[in-house]
Amino acid sequence: MSPLSPSMGFLLLLVLWSPGVIQATTTGPDVLQPTESVLRKETLFANVNGVVNSEGVCQCSVYLPDPVFPVEKVEYLQNTALSINVTLEAEVSKIREYSKKIESYESRILNLTHRLQVMEQTSVSYNELDFELIKVEIKEMEALVLQLKSTVTGGNEIIELLYTEIQNISVEINKLERFDKNNVIAIRREIAALKQRIKQCEEQNTGVRPTALPPPEYGLCNHGPISNISKPFVIQLNWRGFGFLYGSWGKDPSPRPPKNELYWVAPLNTDARYLEYYRTYQNYDDFLLFKNPKEQRILYGQGSGTVVFNNCMYYNCHASGDICKIDVDTNTLIIRKTLPGAVFNNRFSYAGVNWQDFDFAVDESGLWVIYSTEASTGNIVISKLNETTLTVENTWQTKQYKPAVSNAFIACGVLYATRTVSTRKEELFYMFDTKTGTESRLNLVFDKMLETIQSIQYNPSDHKLYVYNDGYEVTYDATFSS
């Protein structure tokens, strides 16, 4: 660059060639001209006053904005945006997932609300298992709502309302459980008492005034035959599941001290023949909730005619005409004895229930067995057994053909036999009184839950029938006439 006079003004042409680079040339004392390559990139012009220093060099000051493109800032912004986008997608995914869960639990809450309304408005009795199942559902929903509250911030009024509603349901369940604590007998007897009062009023209107008698005492036989069988009360499915349709269950009418209660369940294997596993429970609550079971194995029994009495189980030994007696506390075989003349291996079993050649029963007087012989040509034979030695103390032969009967039980020394009316109805149609040796016909039709009744066990300690109905454990209240 040629020296210029300090007093001489000049035109400085500024050109942006590339970011941060300026090129300029002079063609005379008055004018600076850009090179040809710069002119092609010309973007900006400015008039600048310059000075010449002591060395004769022209100097000028030009202030430009930072022309460097901020690549690092852009990359940082891109990474930040990407991170925010991933986080946002994750949160949106969570919201979608929780929305589905909320919809699911909303329907479950509606279902629970409906069930609570049914519990409150009907006289149907509910056991502890019903309440425990509802409590489990409530706890699951509470856990979900707490999870939602911890992950969703802001705008969670709906979640708060949902949590409050679940807590309210939990409170109502606890109230209902305390109010309805296993009152099956009380409610049903109140209904029976009301029906009796209505009947008395009707008879009074016709001039007949019956004398009210107290209900029969448990364990005694100061009454007449069975006059009514209640509606079925379904307890639960057997502990082995849906596939185990055959078996028996009940309550020991006189467990050995210190036991106050002893419930037992003996489902057959899926072949409907082998008795291999059974369970006992120390009380009704444990039985309902499958808590503290004592599960044991035997080799082997057969058929659904099993019974438990005085902590001992009586059953037909597999593929034989023998009676087996085991102690359920130790699961040890106490005695095995042949039942004289009895047929076995499905020779004369009940209608629709195979392998029940021996059907054991317990009543107020002790242990019985219902079976058939070749001499009886398939008709029912009843024998009273000594529970200690299994010897036959007395025997009665009836005129009722056993394969025409769906099941049977004994109460107060009277044999009662049932037959199938339909898939939902059963009839108590036959009775044989061992005290008089006489037989009679009945016509007591009662409901059943499913098609086939595999076993019926009468319990003298509570006048209940413990029925195994296609895998379900069911009870009935038996009412005796005066």
Side-chain angles (χ1 to χ4, degrees):
M1 185 181 295
S2 59
L4 299 174
S5 170
S7 60
M8 181 181 299
F10 64 92
L11 175 65
L12 177 63
L13 179 62
L14 300 178
V15 180
L16 292 178
W17 167 253
S18 64
V21 178
I22 302 176
Q23 291 189 355
T25 59
T26 58
T27 56
D30 296 315
V31 180
L32 289 174
Q33 293 183 348
T35 63
E36 181 180 355
S37 62
V38 173
L39 285 174
R40 287 197 299 267
K41 302 291 184 178
E42 178 182 313
T43 58
L44 181 64
F45 295 91
N47 292 321
V48 180
N49 294 324
V51 295
V52 178
N53 62 13
S54 59
E55 297 178 356
V57 178
C58 176
Q59 293 181 337
C60 62
S61 298
V62 179
Y63 297 94
L64 298 175
D66 183 8
V68 180
F69 187 77
V71 176
E72 294 182 357
K73 291 182 179 180
V74 171
E75 288 181 350
Y76 172 76
L77 290 174
Q78 286 178 337
N79 292 335
T80 303
L82 181 62
S83 175
I84 291 173
N85 187 50
V86 171
T87 304
L88 181 61
E89 288 180 355
E91 293 299 322
V92 170
S93 177
K94 282 184 182 180
I95 291 173
R96 288 172 180 168
E97 179 184 354
Y98 290 147
S99 296
K100 292 179 181 178
K101 288 184 177 180
I102 288 174
E103 290 177 2
S104 172
Y105 280 94
E106 183 180 7
S107 64
R108 292 178 66 177
I109 287 174
L110 292 175
N111 182 41
L112 283 176
T113 303
H114 174 70
R115 287 160 66 183
L116 284 175
Q117 289 173 348
V118 171
M119 287 181 176
E120 291 173 335
Q121 296 172 4
T122 66
S123 61
V124 176
S125 183
Y126 294 85
N127 57 51
E128 187 174 346
L129 180 63
D130 296 313
F131 294 109
E132 288 297 328
L133 292 176
I134 294 178
K135 283 182 178 179
V136 168
E137 293 188 46
I138 291 172
K139 287 179 181 177
E140 289 178 359
M141 290 187 286
E142 283 188 358
L144 173 69
V145 173
L146 289 174
Q147 184 181 3
L148 288 172
K149 290 177 69 176
S150 63
T151 55
V152 180
T153 58
N156 58 354
E157 294 83 0
I158 296 177
I159 297 174
E160 291 289 348
L161 290 174
L162 186 63
Y163 186 62
T164 302
E165 186 171 352
I166 292 173
Q167 286 182 321
N168 290 339
I169 290 178
S170 182
V171 171
E172 289 299 321
I173 281 293
N174 291 330
K175 287 181 180 178
L176 278 173
E177 184 178 25
R178 288 194 297 270
F179 175 75
D180 194 51
K181 191 70 173 182
N182 198 23
N183 63 349
V184 179
I185 299 175
I187 288 179
R188 290 187 174 176
R189 286 183 177 167
E190 285 179 10
I191 293 173
L194 288 173
K195 288 181 178 178
Q196 184 65 25
R197 289 173 61 185
I198 293 173
K199 183 179 179 180
Q200 289 176 358
C201 288
E202 291 175 348
E203 291 174 346
Q204 287 173 0
N205 290 335
T206 59
V208 179
R209 296 181 179 270
T211 303
L213 295 175
E217 298 180 30
Y218 296 139
L220 300 178
C221 294
N222 54 352
H223 51 72
I226 292 177
S227 59
N228 184 61
I229 295 177
S230 71
K231 295 288 186 182
F233 182 75
V234 181
I235 307 298
Q236 61 193 6
L237 182 68
N238 78 88
W239 58 274
R240 298 189 73 180
F242 291 99
F244 298 84
L245 299 178
Y246 290 78
S248 57
W249 81 287
K251 174 186 175 183
D252 190 336
S254 58
R256 289 196 302 261
K259 290 183 173 67
N260 294 320
E261 290 183 308
L262 181 63
Y263 288 86
W264 58 275
V265 185
L268 303 185
N269 289 351
T270 52
D271 60 3
R273 178 181 182 181
Y274 283 89
L275 171 61
E276 185 175 5
Y277 295 96
Y278 69 95
R279 276 186 179 183
T280 56
Y281 300 87
Q282 299 301 313
N283 56 67
Y284 187 65
D285 288 345
D286 285 354
F287 163 70
L288 281 180
L289 301 174
F290 301 105
K291 288 170 55 180
N292 307 314
K294 188 174 183 180
E295 183 176 328
Q296 302 187 94
R297 185 178 184 229
I298 56 177
L299 296 174
Y300 291 97
Q302 76 178 17
S304 301
T306 306
V307 76
V308 173
F309 180 48
N310 286 335
N311 293 65
C312 291
M313 177 177 282
Y314 301 86
Y315 59 91
N316 181 198
C317 309
H318 175 66
S320 74
D322 296 348
I323 301 171
C324 283
K325 173 186 177 181
I326 63 169
D327 188 322
V328 298
D329 293 332
T330 61
N331 198 41
T332 55
L333 181 65
I334 299 174
I335 188 172
R336 175 170 180 161
K337 194 174 185 68
T338 299
L339 181 61
V343 297
F344 56 94
N345 281 350
N346 210 32
R347 177 69 175 110
F348 293 117
S349 187
Y350 291 131
V353 183
N354 294 327
W355 306 105
Q356 199 165 342
D357 301 283
F358 292 14
D359 188 9
F360 295 92
V362 174
D363 74 346
E364 288 77 2
S365 62
L367 181 65
W368 302 75
V369 62
I370 305 166
Y371 61 104
S372 291
T373 65
E374 293 293 353
S376 73
T377 62
N379 288 346
I380 292 177
V381 177
I382 311 164
S383 287
K384 181 72 174 63
L385 299 177
N386 182 296
E387 63 186 79
T388 304
T389 63
L390 298 184
T391 56
V392 175
E393 296 179 346
N394 208 342
T395 298
W396 296 263
Q397 183 170 315
T398 73
K399 297 178 182 178
Q400 176 59 51
Y401 188 53
K402 189 166 180 273
V405 170
S406 61
N407 229 282
F409 61 93
I410 295 177
C412 282
V414 179
L415 170 76
Y416 294 91
T418 63
R419 62 185 175 191
T420 299
V421 176
S422 68
T423 58
R424 291 295 182 270
K425 297 288 184 180
E426 200 83 357
E427 181 188 18
L428 196 66
F429 78 101
Y430 175 84
M431 61 182 286
F432 181 92
D433 191 339
T434 61
K435 294 186 290 294
T436 62
T438 58
E439 56 187 357
S440 306
R441 294 290 170 175
L442 299 173
N443 183 25
L444 293 178
V445 177
F446 58 95
D447 295 330
K448 58 185 176 181
M449 179 185 174
L450 295 172
E451 184 170 349
T452 306
I453 288 179
Q454 282 75 18
S455 71
I456 302 176
Q457 297 294 342
Y458 167 74
N459 192 304
S461 69
D462 56 15
H463 288 186
K464 284 184 177 296
L465 302 180
Y466 291 79
V467 176
Y468 197 96
N469 184 193
D470 280 338
Y472 282 86
E473 297 149 3
V474 184
T475 62
Y476 295 82
D477 291 324
T479 303
F480 293 87
S481 61
S482 58

